[in-house]
Amino acid sequence: MAYPKKYAARFDARTHQWRAGDIAFLKPEVEFTDAEYQDLRKPSAWHPEGYLHGRATGHPVIIVSRISANSTHVTVTTVSAYSSGPANDFLPPWKQNVHRHKNRLDFRSFRGSEVVPGTKYPALTLRGGKAMPKPQASWVYIQSYWVVPLTVLKEFNKPTELLQVDTTSLASLRTHMAARCTAFPCVEALLVAYEPRPSAAAPSPRSSTPRHPVAAATASVSRLTWQSTATTEAGAEHKPKPKPKPKPKQEQDPSVPSSSSSLVSWATIARRKVKPCRVVTVL
C-alpha cells in the first residue's frame, strides 16, 4: 500500500542500519511472517500469550540496544498514547482505570506529555529539539521490553523525518530500566545470545542453527554429548575396556537429566543460563 504523500517513505527499513535511540515502527502482528510469528507470538509453556504481546505490535518503538552492525536483533520498548487525547484532556495512563494495577513510577513521558509525579527521571527528549507526533500523549512503560529481530521493524512514517532519542535521555532510560524493569536482565542476556558469532569454518549443510537461545543452548549440550560419546568410542579401539566398577547408590540430582529424560530437561538446564522473560501485559 502506498504511503500518503505527507508520509512518503524516506528509506527502506529492510536495509536501513538501525541504531540505538532510533524510533522505528513495530509492524502489526498480521504482517509477521510465519517465522516471526513462531518466534514472537506463538504461545508456549513459558509464555502462554506469546513472548511479545499482540497489543504491543503496530506501535512506534525505541531501539534501546544494538550490540553491533552485524546484529540481527535489537531490544525495544513501545511508545504509546494510551488512548489519551483532547477528548479526555490528555489523561496520562497512570490515572486511567484500565492501568490502575501498574506502578506509575514505571512510566516515562516524552517532553510535552504529563510527567509522573514523584519520579526522579526527567522527560525524554529527541535529538535536534524535535517532538513526537503526539507531543502531549507519548509515554513509555518500562516493563514492556523485548528482543525482536530487525525484520519486524518498519519506518515510523508519521513524523516528517527519522526521530532519535538523544544520548542523555537514552542513557537515562536504560538506567531507569536497569533499576525497575523486571525483564531487563534476561532481555539483555537474550540479546547477547542472539548476537552472531564469528566461525572459522562454514557450518555443515546438515546442521541448522536454532532460532531460540534456549534451543541453541540445548543443541550445544547435545553436540557436546555426541562429541564425548564419539571420543569414547574412538578411544575404545586402542585401549582395552576397563572393568566397570560398581557405583555407590545415591539420590538422583533433579537438576541433572537421567538417560530417560526428555528434551525438556535439557531445555531446563539451558534456561538457567538464559531465563525466559516474564510476561507483562501492555497497552
Side-chain angles (χ1 to χ4, degrees), residues 25 44 57 65 72 81 88 100 118 121 127 131 135 137 151-152 188 191 202 245 274:
F25 189 81
S44 67
T57 66
S65 297
T72 59
N88 59 9
R100 65 186 182 280
Y121 299 102
R127 290 185 182 181
T151 55
V152 300
E188 295 289 303
L191 182 63
K245 296 181 180 180
V274 181

Side-chain angles (χ1 to χ4, degrees), residues 3-4 10 39-40 61 73 89 104 108 113 140 143 153 160 173 184 192 196 205 240 253 280:
Y3 292 104
R10 296 175 297 278
D39 282 350
L40 301 175
V61 292
H73 290 67
D89 199 22
R104 70 172 188 271
R108 194 71 180 268
S113 303
V140 170
Q143 300 295 348
L153 298 182
T160 56
L173 179 61
F184 188 84
V192 173
D253 184 350
V280 295

Side-chain angles (χ1 to χ4, degrees), residues 4-25:
K5 186 175 181 181
K6 180 181 178 182
Y7 301 143
R10 296 175 297 278
F11 55 83
D12 187 348
R14 295 171 296 179
T15 58
H16 179 68
Q17 188 70 13
W18 294 106
R19 302 172 183 272
D22 288 353
I23 296 182
F25 189 81

Side-chain angles (χ1 to χ4, degrees), residues 120-192:
K120 63 179 180 180
Y121 299 102
L124 299 172
T125 56
L126 300 177
R127 290 185 182 181
K130 300 181 179 67
M132 294 293 291
K134 296 181 180 180
Q136 294 177 275
S138 294
W139 292 277
V140 170
Y141 181 58
I142 65 166
Q143 300 295 348
S144 300
Y145 191 41
W146 302 278
V147 177
V148 299
L150 292 170
T151 55
V152 300
L153 298 182
K154 299 171 62 175
E155 177 191 4
F156 181 36
N157 60 15
K158 288 196 174 180
T160 56
E161 56 189 319
L162 176 67
L163 299 180
Q164 297 172 303
V165 178
D166 70 35
T167 305
T168 302
S169 286
L170 184 62
S172 175
L173 179 61
R174 285 186 56 83
T175 300
H176 190 178
M177 286 182 153
R180 293 191 58 89
C181 177
T182 57
F184 188 84
C186 104
V187 169
E188 295 289 303
L190 282 174
L191 182 63
V192 173

Side-chain angles (χ1 to χ4, degrees), residues 67-98:
I67 295 178
S68 70
N70 296 324
S71 298
T72 59
H73 290 67
V74 292
T75 64
V76 299
T77 185
T78 51
V79 181
S80 177
Y82 291 93
S83 302
S84 178
N88 59 9
D89 199 22
F90 298 101
L91 188 69
W94 58 88
K95 293 181 180 179
Q96 299 176 20
N97 188 56
V98 68

